Amino acid sequence: MRPSGRAPEATREITLTRGYTKHAEGSVLVAFGDTQVLCTASVEAGVPRWLRGKGQGWITAEYGMLPRATHTRSGREAARGKQGGRTIEIQRLIGRSLRAAVDLKKLGEFTITIDCDVLQADGGTRTAAITGGCVALVDALQSLQRNKQITTDPLKQLVSAVSVGIYKGQAVTDLDYAEDSRAETDMNVVMTADGGIIEVQGTAEQKSFSRSELNAMMDMAEAGCEQLFACQRKELGMVS
Amino acid sequence: MRPSGRAPEATREITLTRGYTKHAEGSVLVAFGDTQVLCTASVEAGVPRWLRGKGQGWITAEYGMLPRATHTRSGREAARGKQGGRTIEIQRLIGRSLRAAVDLKKLGEFTITIDCDVLQADGGTRTAAITGGCVALVDALQSLQRNKQITTDPLKQLVSAVSVGIYKGQAVTDLDYAEDSRAETDMNVVMTADGGIIEVQGTAEQKSFSRSELNAMMDMAEAGCEQLFACQRKELGMVS
Amino acid sequence: MRPSGRAPEATREITLTRGYTKHAEGSVLVAFGDTQVLCTASVEAGVPRWLRGKGQGWITAEYGMLPRATHTRSGREAARGKQGGRTIEIQRLIGRSLRAAVDLKKLGEFTITIDCDVLQADGGTRTAAITGGCVALVDALQSLQRNKQITTDPLKQLVSAVSVGIYKGQAVTDLDYAEDSRAETDMNVVMTADGGIIEVQGTAEQKSFSRSELNAMMDMAEAGCEQLFACQRKELGMVS
Amino acid sequence: MRPSGRAPEATREITLTRGYTKHAEGSVLVAFGDTQVLCTASVEAGVPRWLRGKGQGWITAEYGMLPRATHTRSGREAARGKQGGRTIEIQRLIGRSLRAAVDLKKLGEFTITIDCDVLQADGGTRTAAITGGCVALVDALQSLQRNKQITTDPLKQLVSAVSVGIYKGQAVTDLDYAEDSRAETDMNVVMTADGGIIEVQGTAEQKSFSRSELNAMMDMAEAGCEQLFACQRKELGMVS
Amino acid sequence: MRPSGRAPEATREITLTRGYTKHAEGSVLVAFGDTQVLCTASVEAGVPRWLRGKGQGWITAEYGMLPRATHTRSGREAARGKQGGRTIEIQRLIGRSLRAAVDLKKLGEFTITIDCDVLQADGGTRTAAITGGCVALVDALQSLQRNKQITTDPLKQLVSAVSVGIYKGQAVTDLDYAEDSRAETDMNVVMTADGGIIEVQGTAEQKSFSRSELNAMMDMAEAGCEQLFACQRKELGMVS
Amino acid sequence: MRPSGRAPEATREITLTRGYTKHAEGSVLVAFGDTQVLCTASVEAGVPRWLRGKGQGWITAEYGMLPRATHTRSGREAARGKQGGRTIEIQRLIGRSLRAAVDLKKLGEFTITIDCDVLQADGGTRTAAITGGCVALVDALQSLQRNKQITTDPLKQLVSAVSVGIYKGQAVTDLDYAEDSRAETDMNVVMTADGGIIEVQGTAEQKSFSRSELNAMMDMAEAGCEQLFACQRKELGMVS
């Protein structure tokens, strides 16, 4: 049985709160159970140097955890003078995933930075960040259109992400910390609303996994992302 | 008149929310109007090397702003690889101020780190951080007593802080960003609940200030801190 | 057709050269076609602080590219003062993968560092590094046994890795740079010699991929790793 | 009684030596007793990026202590790879204070950097740095006029600074290290020659201070700055 | 007698292998016995900022050692976040030495970076790097001419370097690690093919050395460089 | 003719002022003409980790230039976050040179750090630093003996250093900036009082130099160091 008592295919309670802070073009608090991540989308004119003059925009992401988002305090990265390997790995994943949601040509020479800051961690922070970050991104794209800075909608499709894993031999979805820290395999899957796969990252933690376990996890991921897309559409007032 | 329409001696609405996140020994969301700071207090056994064996504890503070807490996005300090001068100045002030609230001998060889992370900024983040950080600190001290890690209460007195200034020739209290960015003088005052002064930092921004203006600002600060102490006591359930 | 003219399931020529340099306990030059990586395994007594006293060893990896391993020179990470995000991502992958090859309890309190330095890059440097690093690791484990520093063989199984992808709609294996830079999807798969999966990292580069494409790539990966295990066993003089 | 035997209102011997080194546009060795600080003012054409095109100049300051300026050697900041929090706090104070001396519009697009390097420390290095830095700044402004780079004098007024404090219950001025390290309260006050206050930074070190102690310290500061202005005027050959 | 059994004036076996890797404009593996250094020369259009518009080019060098090039593993400089003092000293020497080989005016506004990465160290890595780097540089200069990017040959003369020293009271040439680590004096000499001296760096390791010992070492260096020039010319197909 | 009008063999006026600052165990201001360097020697109990338990002491050096020691201001290394290559090269030279003056076994487990900070630069700062640093070192050694921390004198011999060069075809000694910046060859020579050579570092700046020029420079260096030893002995009150 899962520590939380959930069924294998049950995600935690998912909430998305738009307009959580007031300055950003998009600002979403996303909660996957006790995991809470504040995702803001900031629009800036211009693109990084290596993209200049190519007539396209850029989406990038940064990730951070407040020092006491976790059970025990971890050192502040700003004070230690560099971002850790895990942070860098995660923010690269978020950036790649969200770029898949957008037609960068239609975005034009704007850069949108998605900041994902974990207020409270209980497993699945990167998948929550992608799911919430996508909603903040949509708000930022709409702000650009409302302000007549761009004329067409660059959004190609919604993107969401869920963690799946093998826990006590059983495929499960949306692992919390208690489960995640003891799972045999942990896999993050990023999908598009039309059922395409953007990213798969599966890691054997205790022992290797098999093709059939990989398939069982992928089934779980597809079902989990369906639920996440429904939450995103509802919060955004989109017809599914 | 003040941009907010407030009377010179009126602070913004102050709210203190204990237990805002679940892992920290103390976790308080403090709001001074639209300024929102998450203050957590983390207890760790042991003290910094230079204090070892002296039979006393230590209180330290770290401060950060989420990149889009402000009107325009500012670079993430963790990504830039160092904390800016303003950040360092502020976290040193918070640490000094909160150490004044505690009898470090009674604390014993524990270190309490107060993390103050600004979710949304609208002026006065450092004074909100000190005021909210003090409540988180009290919760952490009570947790130590509850767990029998220490036997007497190290709290000497509550500490709070307010910004005051000269705006259009008039002394005002608890400046928001609109006021702060145009004030002639900006001063932060940290006080103890028994009326003592812990720290005074006044800076002439546009032109120098006089002894009588200094006095008028100090009067404002005393009145403002009184209100803050009442908020702290109410949230902590302390008899005033 | 593939730029190299290879059949979809054909890897490049794979060579593994043991004893490439003289100081390291294991030193292997691995070539996947024009991709050349020097993998050394260095044994040091002791383990990182957080593992001390747990009666187990540790395997870690570091990765680097010589500045002119690539078509155009990239800045030296040592001179820039930090390792880039890609480097960190890769060396974490190599470390996780090679730890799966070893029973860390049997290793005892030794740390083995696998340094993977790319002399020439033509796609697939991380999979070459894992495949070659595993052979260097085996040599280091044998050196520990030869020197009577440990008494049982900590090797659980060989580990190898191959990149697969979707190129012009077709699943292909062991992509070189010409292919890799234009592939629709790029996936790295790490496997154990008994057919288990250690790590799957698939990224949609141009457009999302489907479950059936994922399956086709996994089939390719299994076949590719079989070839790699044969090369490893041959170079190590192991009976397959 | 004070450790030095001085009367409460007596400063140490103050000396200002212009032209101490030969390359800088202004170069002043300032001594407050045994505290010796070399202040140089360097003129450069242009302003920081964020000020370009605004038709004004900029004054900034940097502060450092030679490693053995103090009783025991402290690590060289250049070797440790960053400036400490105290250094940053002090150099920001010096910069703000000296900008108050100058009409930045009249300065035009020039940047003047005031370097304050402590050769020997015995308390009060930041107030000595401001007082000596102001004289170096005046020399640099005169050099700009002499060279016809600017046509009007940007100097608004002299600025000086003194430390005051509460020592054994008594307000005292210009604390040396022996006093400073045991004072109950330590306050730095920066003033303009016409009696205005530029900056007040008071910190309770042992116990909080009262409004009447604040007033007593301000009285001391005003008297102390009067003496410093007299020294500055004399060294600059200005009629008081 | 020398640990290697060599005669005092005998260098180790010297080999220079051009075209060692495929991407760089020049790529040479140089071996002085067991010391192996990969030297690549990379051409980039443009010069550093401080040289722009002066109608000349620039030659610079970077040096690194693979972590396990040595008897025991040394920390990777990229991971530690900075290059060590020895590395910086060596790469500055290589750069200065190779600039002496070239007429920078004739090079025009191109920058050539010589990367010298030590694959295996056994003493004399910096002299091997200069000697091999010069051949890589010649190849890069020829590539510029072949591509019609420049019209005249900027090569003024070949440059090579050898280490000499006093070992057990005897002047010897091309010290290997066993000798180098116990020599009384260690000196590196860089020369031009016409017999001029570019750089002399002699350091007394155990005791000071005399003018006559300096002379004996210089004689050794001249003879050693003669052999190196012959190897360079042979590998480059130049008539001596 | 030399820009200064000096004869080829004439050094600038050399002054050594002991006791220049009050905290350090040794503190010497050394002037070679307009070049002024403050050299302090700081004694600390203990040695670096890699020397512990070997029954010997350690001498190390750090070098810095005040930002406006030079004609134009150079960035403060502490603010830029790292020491430049030139600084590192120089401080390693100073450390090596001064270690040659001392019997480290007799020093016992103490570390002496020589800080050399350039107040004003006019060529030859590294040779001034070695010459002045040696006197500060002698004072620190005497302080250790006076305090009965060691019982025998670790000083083996005085060490001094002078720059020599080829200027307009003529060997000259103790070059000032005007000469140094246009010299054909620049060489720094460190010697012991008994005539031994500790270090030779000669660099061809404009064109290579010959063996006879090397000899002429060495003759100049021997004569120059003789004068420096006389100055050191006189300031230290030693019989020559």
Side-chain angles (χ1 to χ4, degrees):
Chain A
M1 294 308 120
R2 304 180 70 174
S4 59
R6 279 187 278 148
E9 69 283 4
T11 66
R12 291 174 285 182
E13 189 182 4
I14 310 294
T15 62
L16 292 159
T17 310
R18 290 163 74 202
Y20 191 74
T21 54
K22 69 175 187 177
H23 297 305
E25 284 73 27
S27 173
V28 171
L29 185 77
V30 57
F32 279 25
D34 276 345
T35 289
Q36 295 189 329
V37 185
L38 175 51
C39 306
T40 59
S42 297
V43 175
E44 285 164 294
V47 289
R49 183 185 308 246
W50 51 275
L51 266 186
R52 280 181 204 154
K54 303 204 171 165
Q56 70 160 92
W58 189 241
I59 314 277
T60 186
E62 290 188 3
Y63 172 93
M65 287 223 290
L66 297 198
R68 196 55 195 281
T70 42
H71 284 82
T72 56
R73 185 176 187 274
S74 48
R76 185 176 291 267
E77 290 183 325
R80 282 188 292 172
K82 65 175 191 175
Q83 295 178 296
R86 181 185 168 276
T87 293
I88 286 170
E89 216 174 71
I90 292 175
Q91 69 190 12
R92 285 165 62 90
L93 170 64
I94 300 170
R96 278 199 308 271
S97 299
L98 295 180
R99 279 193 290 279
V102 173
D103 182 328
L104 295 173
K105 288 284 176 194
K106 289 191 183 164
L107 177 55
E109 293 218 337
F110 288 96
T111 296
I112 301 180
T113 304
I114 312 295
D115 286 290
C116 302
D117 286 276
V118 179
L119 305 188
Q120 188 170 275
D122 188 35
T125 63
R126 78 191 72 186
T127 52
I130 291 167
T131 305
C134 183
V135 176
L137 173 59
V138 171
D139 276 335
L141 294 176
Q142 291 181 351
S143 137
L144 278 165
Q145 292 169 269
R146 216 167 35 241
N147 298 337
K148 314 289 185 206
Q149 296 172 284
I150 56 176
T151 53
T152 54
D153 188 355
L155 183 70
K156 294 197 298 191
Q157 57 209 330
L158 293 176
V159 162
S160 72
V162 73
S163 72
V164 289
I166 305 292
Y167 178 78
K168 299 195 175 174
Q170 163 75 51
V172 294
T173 198
D174 189 26
L175 292 73
D176 57 25
Y177 179 78
E179 227 164 18
D180 188 42
S181 56
R182 282 175 292 165
E184 291 102 64
T185 293
D186 178 28
M187 188 159 88
N188 294 290
V189 180
V190 187
M191 300 193 75
T192 57
D194 60 6
I197 307 167
I198 292 297
E199 185 103 14
V200 173
Q201 290 199 351
T203 301
E205 300 283 354
Q206 312 286 344
K207 58 188 197 60
S208 63
F209 56 99
S210 65
R211 283 291 292 274
S212 68
E213 287 173 320
L214 174 61
N215 275 322
M217 289 190 285
M218 287 305 301
D219 289 343
M220 284 282 173
E222 289 185 351
C225 284
E226 270 313 299
Q227 293 178 54
L228 295 171
F229 288 122
C231 293
Q232 288 177 326
R233 286 193 197 98
K234 187 172 161 207
E235 181 68 16
L236 285 164
M238 293 166 78
V239 181
S240 67
Chain B
M1 292 310 120
R2 305 181 69 174
S4 60
R6 280 186 278 147
E9 69 283 4
T11 65
R12 290 173 285 182
E13 188 181 5
I14 309 295
T15 62
L16 292 158
T17 309
R18 290 163 74 202
Y20 190 74
T21 54
K22 70 174 187 178
H23 297 305
E25 284 74 26
S27 174
V28 172
L29 184 77
V30 56
F32 279 26
D34 276 345
T35 288
Q36 295 190 328
V37 185
L38 175 51
C39 307
T40 59
S42 298
V43 174
E44 285 164 295
V47 288
R49 184 185 307 247
W50 52 274
L51 266 186
R52 280 182 203 155
K54 302 204 172 167
Q56 69 160 93
W58 189 240
I59 314 277
T60 186
E62 291 188 2
Y63 172 94
M65 286 223 290
L66 297 198
R68 196 55 194 281
T70 43
H71 284 80
T72 56
R73 185 176 187 275
S74 47
R76 185 177 291 266
E77 290 183 327
R80 282 188 292 171
K82 66 175 190 175
Q83 295 179 296
R86 179 184 169 278
T87 293
I88 287 170
E89 215 174 73
I90 291 175
Q91 69 190 13
R92 284 166 62 89
L93 170 64
I94 300 170
R96 278 199 308 271
S97 299
L98 294 180
R99 280 193 289 279
V102 172
D103 182 329
L104 295 173
K105 288 284 177 195
K106 288 189 183 165
L107 176 55
E109 292 217 339
F110 288 97
T111 295
I112 301 180
T113 303
I114 312 295
D115 285 290
C116 301
D117 286 276
V118 180
L119 305 188
Q120 188 170 274
D122 188 35
T125 62
R126 77 191 74 186
T127 52
I130 291 167
T131 304
C134 183
V135 175
L137 174 59
V138 170
D139 275 335
L141 295 176
Q142 291 180 352
S143 137
L144 277 165
Q145 293 170 268
R146 216 166 35 241
N147 297 338
K148 312 291 185 205
Q149 296 171 285
I150 57 175
T151 53
T152 55
D153 189 353
L155 184 70
K156 293 198 298 191
Q157 58 209 328
L158 293 176
V159 162
S160 72
V162 74
S163 73
V164 290
I166 305 292
Y167 179 78
K168 299 195 175 175
Q170 163 76 49
V172 294
T173 199
D174 188 25
L175 291 73
D176 58 24
Y177 178 78
E179 227 164 20
D180 188 41
S181 56
R182 283 175 291 165
E184 293 102 61
T185 293
D186 178 29
M187 188 158 89
N188 294 291
V189 180
V190 187
M191 301 193 73
T192 58
D194 62 5
I197 306 166
I198 292 296
E199 185 102 14
V200 174
Q201 290 199 351
T203 301
E205 301 282 353
Q206 312 286 344
K207 59 186 197 60
S208 63
F209 56 98
S210 66
R211 283 290 292 275
S212 67
E213 287 174 320
L214 174 61
N215 274 322
M217 288 189 286
M218 287 304 301
D219 290 343
M220 283 285 173
E222 289 184 350
C225 283
E226 270 313 299
Q227 293 178 53
L228 295 171
F229 288 121
C231 292
Q232 288 177 326
R233 285 192 198 99
K234 186 173 163 207
E235 180 68 15
L236 285 164
M238 293 166 78
V239 182
S240 68
Chain C
M1 292 306 122
R2 306 180 69 173
S4 59
R6 279 185 278 148
E9 69 284 3
T11 64
R12 291 174 283 182
E13 188 182 4
I14 311 294
T15 62
L16 292 158
T17 310
R18 290 163 75 202
Y20 191 74
T21 55
K22 70 174 185 177
H23 298 306
E25 283 74 27
S27 173
V28 171
L29 184 77
V30 56
F32 279 26
D34 276 344
T35 288
Q36 295 188 329
V37 185
L38 175 52
C39 307
T40 59
S42 298
V43 175
E44 285 163 296
V47 288
R49 184 185 308 246
W50 52 274
L51 264 187
R52 281 183 202 154
K54 302 203 172 167
Q56 69 161 94
W58 189 240
I59 313 278
T60 187
E62 290 188 4
Y63 172 93
M65 286 223 291
L66 297 199
R68 195 57 194 282
T70 43
H71 284 81
T72 57
R73 186 177 185 273
S74 48
R76 185 177 291 267
E77 291 184 324
R80 283 188 292 171
K82 65 175 189 176
Q83 294 178 296
R86 179 184 169 279
T87 293
I88 287 170
E89 218 173 70
I90 292 175
Q91 69 191 12
R92 285 165 62 89
L93 170 64
I94 300 171
R96 277 198 308 273
S97 300
L98 294 181
R99 280 193 290 280
V102 174
D103 182 329
L104 295 173
K105 288 284 177 194
K106 289 192 184 162
L107 177 55
E109 293 217 339
F110 288 96
T111 296
I112 301 180
T113 303
I114 311 296
D115 285 289
C116 302
D117 286 275
V118 179
L119 305 189
Q120 187 170 276
D122 188 35
T125 62
R126 78 190 73 185
T127 51
I130 291 167
T131 304
C134 182
V135 176
L137 172 60
V138 170
D139 275 335
L141 295 176
Q142 290 180 352
S143 136
L144 278 165
Q145 291 168 268
R146 216 167 34 241
N147 298 337
K148 313 290 185 204
Q149 295 172 287
I150 56 175
T151 52
T152 55
D153 188 354
L155 183 70
K156 294 197 299 189
Q157 58 210 329
L158 293 176
V159 163
S160 72
V162 74
S163 73
V164 291
I166 305 293
Y167 178 78
K168 300 197 175 172
Q170 163 76 48
V172 294
T173 199
D174 188 25
L175 292 72
D176 57 25
Y177 179 78
E179 226 164 18
D180 188 42
S181 56
R182 284 176 290 165
E184 293 102 63
T185 292
D186 178 30
M187 189 159 87
N188 294 291
V189 180
V190 186
M191 300 193 74
T192 57
D194 60 7
I197 307 167
I198 292 296
E199 186 102 14
V200 173
Q201 290 199 351
T203 300
E205 300 284 353
Q206 312 285 344
K207 59 186 197 60
S208 63
F209 56 99
S210 66
R211 284 289 293 275
S212 68
E213 287 174 319
L214 174 61
N215 275 321
M217 289 190 286
M218 288 304 301
D219 290 342
M220 284 283 174
E222 289 184 352
C225 284
E226 270 314 299
Q227 293 177 54
L228 296 170
F229 289 121
C231 293
Q232 289 177 326
R233 284 191 199 99
K234 186 175 162 206
E235 180 69 15
L236 285 164
M238 293 165 78
V239 182
S240 67
Chain D
M1 293 307 120
R2 306 180 69 174
S4 59
R6 279 185 278 149
E9 70 283 3
T11 65
R12 290 173 283 182
E13 187 181 5
I14 310 295
T15 61
L16 292 158
T17 310
R18 289 163 76 201
Y20 191 74
T21 54
K22 69 175 186 177
H23 297 305
E25 284 74 25
S27 174
V28 172
L29 185 77
V30 55
F32 280 25
D34 276 345
T35 288
Q36 294 189 330
V37 186
L38 175 51
C39 307
T40 59
S42 297
V43 175
E44 286 163 295
V47 288
R49 183 185 308 246
W50 52 273
L51 266 186
R52 281 181 202 156
K54 302 203 171 165
Q56 69 161 92
W58 189 241
I59 313 278
T60 187
E62 290 189 2
Y63 171 93
M65 287 223 290
L66 297 197
R68 195 55 195 281
T70 43
H71 284 81
T72 56
R73 186 175 185 274
S74 47
R76 185 177 291 267
E77 290 183 327
R80 281 187 293 170
K82 67 175 191 176
Q83 295 179 296
R86 179 184 169 277
T87 293
I88 287 170
E89 216 174 72
I90 291 175
Q91 70 190 13
R92 284 165 62 89
L93 170 64
I94 300 170
R96 279 199 307 272
S97 300
L98 294 181
R99 280 192 290 279
V102 172
D103 182 329
L104 295 173
K105 288 284 178 195
K106 289 190 184 165
L107 176 55
E109 293 217 339
F110 288 97
T111 296
I112 301 180
T113 303
I114 311 295
D115 285 290
C116 302
D117 285 277
V118 179
L119 304 188
Q120 188 171 274
D122 189 35
T125 62
R126 77 190 75 186
T127 51
I130 292 167
T131 305
C134 183
V135 176
L137 173 59
V138 171
D139 275 335
L141 295 175
Q142 290 180 352
S143 136
L144 277 165
Q145 293 169 268
R146 215 165 37 238
N147 298 338
K148 312 291 185 206
Q149 296 172 285
I150 57 175
T151 53
T152 55
D153 189 354
L155 184 69
K156 293 198 300 190
Q157 58 210 327
L158 293 175
V159 162
S160 72
V162 73
S163 73
V164 290
I166 305 293
Y167 179 78
K168 299 195 175 174
Q170 163 75 49
V172 294
T173 200
D174 188 26
L175 292 73
D176 58 25
Y177 179 78
E179 226 164 18
D180 188 41
S181 56
R182 282 174 293 163
E184 292 102 63
T185 293
D186 177 29
M187 189 158 88
N188 294 291
V189 181
V190 186
M191 300 193 74
T192 58
D194 61 6
I197 307 167
I198 292 297
E199 186 103 14
V200 173
Q201 290 199 351
T203 300
E205 301 282 354
Q206 312 285 343
K207 58 188 196 61
S208 64
F209 56 98
S210 66
R211 285 289 292 275
S212 67
E213 287 174 321
L214 175 60
N215 275 322
M217 288 190 287
M218 288 304 302
D219 290 343
M220 283 284 173
E222 289 185 351
C225 284
E226 270 314 299
Q227 294 177 52
L228 295 170
F229 288 121
C231 292
Q232 289 177 326
R233 286 192 198 99
K234 187 174 162 206
E235 180 68 14
L236 285 164
M238 293 165 78
V239 182
S240 67
Chain E
M1 293 308 119
R2 304 180 71 174
S4 59
R6 279 186 278 148
E9 70 283 4
T11 64
R12 291 174 284 182
E13 188 183 4
I14 311 293
T15 62
L16 292 159
T17 310
R18 289 163 76 200
Y20 191 74
T21 55
K22 70 174 186 177
H23 298 305
E25 284 74 25
S27 174
V28 171
L29 184 77
V30 57
F32 279 25
D34 277 344
T35 288
Q36 295 189 329
V37 186
L38 175 51
C39 306
T40 59
S42 297
V43 175
E44 285 163 297
V47 288
R49 184 184 309 246
W50 52 273
L51 265 187
R52 283 184 201 153
K54 302 204 171 164
Q56 70 160 93
W58 189 241
I59 313 277
T60 186
E62 290 188 3
Y63 172 93
M65 286 223 290
L66 297 198
R68 196 56 194 281
T70 43
H71 284 80
T72 57
R73 187 178 185 271
S74 47
R76 186 177 290 266
E77 290 183 326
R80 282 188 292 172
K82 65 177 191 175
Q83 295 178 296
R86 178 183 168 279
T87 293
I88 287 170
E89 217 174 71
I90 291 175
Q91 69 190 12
R92 285 165 61 90
L93 169 64
I94 300 171
R96 277 199 309 272
S97 299
L98 295 181
R99 280 193 289 280
V102 173
D103 182 329
L104 296 173
K105 288 284 178 195
K106 288 191 184 164
L107 177 54
E109 292 217 339
F110 288 97
T111 295
I112 301 179
T113 303
I114 311 296
D115 285 289
C116 302
D117 286 276
V118 179
L119 304 188
Q120 188 170 276
D122 188 35
T125 64
R126 78 191 72 187
T127 51
I130 292 167
T131 304
C134 183
V135 175
L137 173 60
V138 170
D139 275 335
L141 295 175
Q142 290 180 351
S143 136
L144 278 165
Q145 292 169 268
R146 215 166 36 239
N147 298 337
K148 313 289 185 204
Q149 295 172 286
I150 57 177
T151 52
T152 54
D153 188 354
L155 184 70
K156 294 197 298 189
Q157 58 209 329
L158 293 176
V159 162
S160 72
V162 74
S163 73
V164 290
I166 305 294
Y167 179 77
K168 299 196 176 173
Q170 162 76 48
V172 293
T173 199
D174 188 25
L175 292 72
D176 57 26
Y177 179 78
E179 226 165 20
D180 187 41
S181 56
R182 282 175 291 165
E184 292 103 63
T185 292
D186 178 27
M187 189 158 87
N188 293 291
V189 180
V190 187
M191 300 193 75
T192 57
D194 61 5
I197 307 167
I198 292 296
E199 186 103 15
V200 173
Q201 291 199 349
T203 300
E205 300 283 354
Q206 312 284 344
K207 59 186 197 61
S208 62
F209 56 98
S210 65
R211 284 290 294 277
S212 67
E213 286 173 319
L214 174 60
N215 274 322
M217 290 190 285
M218 288 304 301
D219 289 343
M220 284 284 173
E222 289 185 351
C225 284
E226 270 313 300
Q227 293 178 54
L228 295 170
F229 289 122
C231 292
Q232 289 176 326
R233 285 193 199 99
K234 186 175 164 206
E235 180 68 16
L236 285 164
M238 294 166 77
V239 181
S240 68
Chain F
M1 292 303 122
R2 304 180 70 174
S4 60
R6 280 186 278 148
E9 71 283 4
T11 65
R12 292 173 284 182
E13 188 183 3
I14 310 294
T15 63
L16 292 159
T17 311
R18 290 162 74 202
Y20 191 73
T21 55
K22 70 174 186 176
H23 297 306
E25 284 73 27
S27 174
V28 171
L29 185 76
V30 57
F32 279 25
D34 277 345
T35 288
Q36 295 189 329
V37 185
L38 175 52
C39 307
T40 59
S42 297
V43 175
E44 284 163 296
V47 288
R49 184 185 308 248
W50 51 274
L51 266 187
R52 280 183 204 154
K54 303 204 172 164
Q56 70 161 91
W58 189 241
I59 313 277
T60 186
E62 290 188 3
Y63 172 93
M65 286 223 291
L66 297 198
R68 196 56 194 282
T70 42
H71 284 81
T72 57
R73 185 176 186 273
S74 48
R76 185 176 292 267
E77 290 184 326
R80 282 188 292 171
K82 66 176 191 176
Q83 295 179 295
R86 180 185 168 276
T87 293
I88 286 170
E89 216 175 71
I90 291 175
Q91 68 190 11
R92 284 166 61 90
L93 170 64
I94 300 171
R96 277 199 309 271
S97 299
L98 294 181
R99 280 194 289 281
V102 173
D103 181 329
L104 295 174
K105 287 284 178 194
K106 289 190 184 165
L107 176 55
E109 292 218 340
F110 288 96
T111 296
I112 301 180
T113 304
I114 312 296
D115 285 291
C116 302
D117 285 276
V118 179
L119 304 188
Q120 189 170 273
D122 188 35
T125 62
R126 77 190 73 186
T127 51
I130 291 167
T131 305
C134 183
V135 176
L137 173 60
V138 170
D139 275 336
L141 294 176
Q142 291 180 352
S143 137
L144 277 166
Q145 292 169 269
R146 214 166 37 241
N147 298 337
K148 313 289 185 205
Q149 296 172 285
I150 56 175
T151 52
T152 54
D153 188 355
L155 183 70
K156 294 197 298 191
Q157 58 210 329
L158 294 176
V159 162
S160 71
V162 73
S163 72
V164 290
I166 305 293
Y167 178 77
K168 300 195 175 175
Q170 163 76 49
V172 294
T173 199
D174 188 26
L175 292 73
D176 58 26
Y177 179 77
E179 226 164 18
D180 188 41
S181 55
R182 283 175 290 165
E184 291 104 62
T185 293
D186 178 28
M187 188 160 87
N188 294 290
V189 180
V190 186
M191 299 192 74
T192 57
D194 60 6
I197 306 167
I198 292 296
E199 186 104 13
V200 173
Q201 290 199 349
T203 301
E205 301 283 353
Q206 314 285 343
K207 58 186 196 61
S208 64
F209 55 100
S210 66
R211 283 291 293 275
S212 68
E213 287 173 319
L214 174 61
N215 275 322
M217 290 189 285
M218 287 304 301
D219 290 342
M220 282 283 173
E222 289 184 351
C225 284
E226 269 313 300
Q227 292 178 54
L228 295 171
F229 289 122
C231 293
Q232 289 177 326
R233 285 192 198 99
K234 185 174 164 205
E235 181 68 16
L236 285 164
M238 292 166 79
V239 182
S240 66

